[in-house]
Amino acid sequence: NNVLSNFFIFLNLNLLKMPSISSYKVENFFSFLFLFFLLPINGQSLNSSLKKKLDLADQYRLKEHFFDAKKTLDSEILKYKNQNFELAYLYSYTSRLYLHEDSLVQANRYAIKSVECSQKSKNNLAIAVALYAKASYEVVVNSPDEAMKNAKKGLELLEKSSNDLTTKYLLSYRLYGIYGGWNDVEKMQYYIRKCEEISKKDQNNNFLANAYNGISSAFVVDFYKTKNKKSADSSLVYLEKSYELFKKNPTKINDGTLSVTLINLANYYMEFSNLPLHESKEKAFFYLNILETKFAQKKVSSDVMASSMGIKSDFAMKEKNNTVAKDYLFQGIKILDEDVKGNFETRLLLYKSLESLFE
């Protein structure tokens, strides 16, 4: 079995910034799910001016313009320097922005400031937003127990006194990812179904597509635990639901969400399909070619594109064409080498798969 097999189902898109992995079993990739930086944090209780600024900072972040995102947030922090509710939001977002940049000291500093301001505000929504930042930091520094406690506390506060669907979604998804790291399929299903329910209530197609992707991944985890083929097939059903959402609402699904859907669809046909190999390959390459187009438009990360090369390599191996398989892997490595932010785990897996071809 080549070491790339099963990895792509849990492709993290370099968004969660989780701790280094110690094993290449599929179970250990679940913590690397894709939501954290795909969604904005704007809650329904914020004033419209601040919402717009957070949206602007989020757009800068999506384009990897860290300086502009930070400048936008810093300007708002000065503007709201005496207003603890707004500062709780701004510090929470800043903390997560630093997580995206691997600046853990700064991420922790702003998470603490967010918690302090939220407590001064005595507003449950502000406290929940701050706890989400704290939980996100704790996940990254490999403290899932503390992250779980804070995420649950934040969710409980919102259930009592707030209809902020965005923050409810984020906290529910955070818990889904934590329980996924523990392979607790029942809890995973519970929280991801909450995400599905919230996204439908909010009429948010991007949230819903993420939820469908998450449900699909939960079924894959169940498959690896039970070997029940129905679970693998159910994973395809929800990936297709996610892709259908994109086809019906292409402007409502962001590129990060779509990338996860496409890479996982391709991986399904590489990993689980009962179709003849040439048919499975045709279906997988259909989705991978969409990714390549997005990458050329700079709408897809280097990690996604490198992973696409990994799946193509897997098909070449199945066809007993090791020369082509090596070429795909070298292409993936080259893509990562050209990006200073290329994901270490993706690179390592490509090298390990390449190593297996020279044995």
Side-chain angles (χ1 to χ4, degrees), residues 337-352:
D337 285 344
E338 292 174 352
D339 183 356
V340 294
K341 293 185 178 181
N343 185 273
F344 172 76
E345 285 81 15
T346 307
R347 188 191 307 272
L348 185 59
L349 286 167
L350 290 169
Y351 272 116
K352 282 189 171 290

Side-chain angles (χ1 to χ4, degrees), residues 140-354:
V140 171
V141 297
N142 203 21
S143 298
D145 292 306
E146 290 302 311
M148 181 266 292
K149 292 175 185 176
N150 283 316
K152 281 190 173 181
K153 183 178 178 181
L155 197 56
E156 288 169 3
L157 289 171
L158 294 183
E159 296 289 356
K160 292 178 181 178
S161 61
S162 174
N163 62 350
D164 177 6
L165 298 176
T166 296
T167 307
K168 283 183 181 179
Y169 188 104
L170 289 169
L171 287 164
S172 297
Y173 208 106
R174 174 57 67 208
L175 287 164
Y176 160 68
I178 291 168
Y179 282 110
W182 295 329
N183 299 318
D184 188 333
V185 176
E186 183 179 349
K187 291 287 180 62
M188 289 162 57
Q189 286 283 4
Y190 174 76
Y191 284 107
I192 198 61
R193 295 293 181 175
K194 281 181 71 74
C195 291
E196 180 186 16
E197 176 186 340
I198 292 167
S199 59
K200 288 179 177 178
K201 185 177 180 180
D202 198 31
Q203 298 182 330
N204 188 313
N205 287 309
N206 193 58
F207 279 25
L208 184 57
N210 271 308
Y212 286 153
N213 287 338
I215 293 170
S216 171
S217 292
F219 275 118
V220 173
V221 172
D222 185 65
F223 168 77
Y224 282 108
K225 291 185 72 175
T226 66
K227 304 304 178 183
N228 185 346
K229 186 62 166 59
K230 289 183 178 179
S231 292
D233 293 339
S234 294
S235 77
L236 176 62
V237 171
Y238 282 92
L239 288 173
E240 288 176 337
K241 283 177 178 253
S242 182
Y243 186 61
E244 283 300 312
L245 271 180
F246 164 72
K247 289 200 296 184
K248 292 177 181 177
N249 309 277
T251 63
K252 301 295 184 181
I253 310 297
N254 72 37
D255 292 315
T257 302
L258 177 62
S259 297
V260 173
T261 304
L262 294 172
I263 204 81
N264 286 353
L265 278 165
N267 189 75
Y268 172 87
Y269 286 106
M270 186 275 293
E271 188 74 17
F272 302 114
S273 174
N274 291 324
L275 296 172
L277 180 59
H278 73 279
E279 292 184 26
S280 295
K281 179 181 176 180
E282 183 179 353
K283 287 183 176 291
F285 275 48
F286 169 79
Y287 298 115
L288 296 178
N289 289 338
I290 297 174
L291 278 177
E292 289 188 24
T293 300
K294 293 282 186 181
F295 182 70
Q297 298 169 344
K298 299 185 178 180
K299 294 181 178 180
V300 167
S301 73
S302 61
D303 293 324
V304 175
M305 198 62 242
S307 299
S308 174
M309 294 298 108
I311 293 178
K312 288 187 173 184
S313 174
D314 283 345
F315 274 107
M317 290 182 206
K318 286 187 174 186
E319 295 170 330
K320 309 298 183 184
N321 194 336
N322 287 354
T323 300
V324 172
K326 290 175 186 176
D327 287 342
Y328 281 131
L329 292 172
F330 280 126
Q331 286 181 55
I333 291 167
K334 183 174 184 293
I335 289 167
L336 292 175
D337 285 344
E338 292 174 352
D339 183 356
V340 294
K341 293 185 178 181
N343 185 273
F344 172 76
E345 285 81 15
T346 307
R347 188 191 307 272
L348 185 59
L349 286 167
L350 290 169
Y351 272 116
K352 282 189 171 290
S353 193
L354 189 62

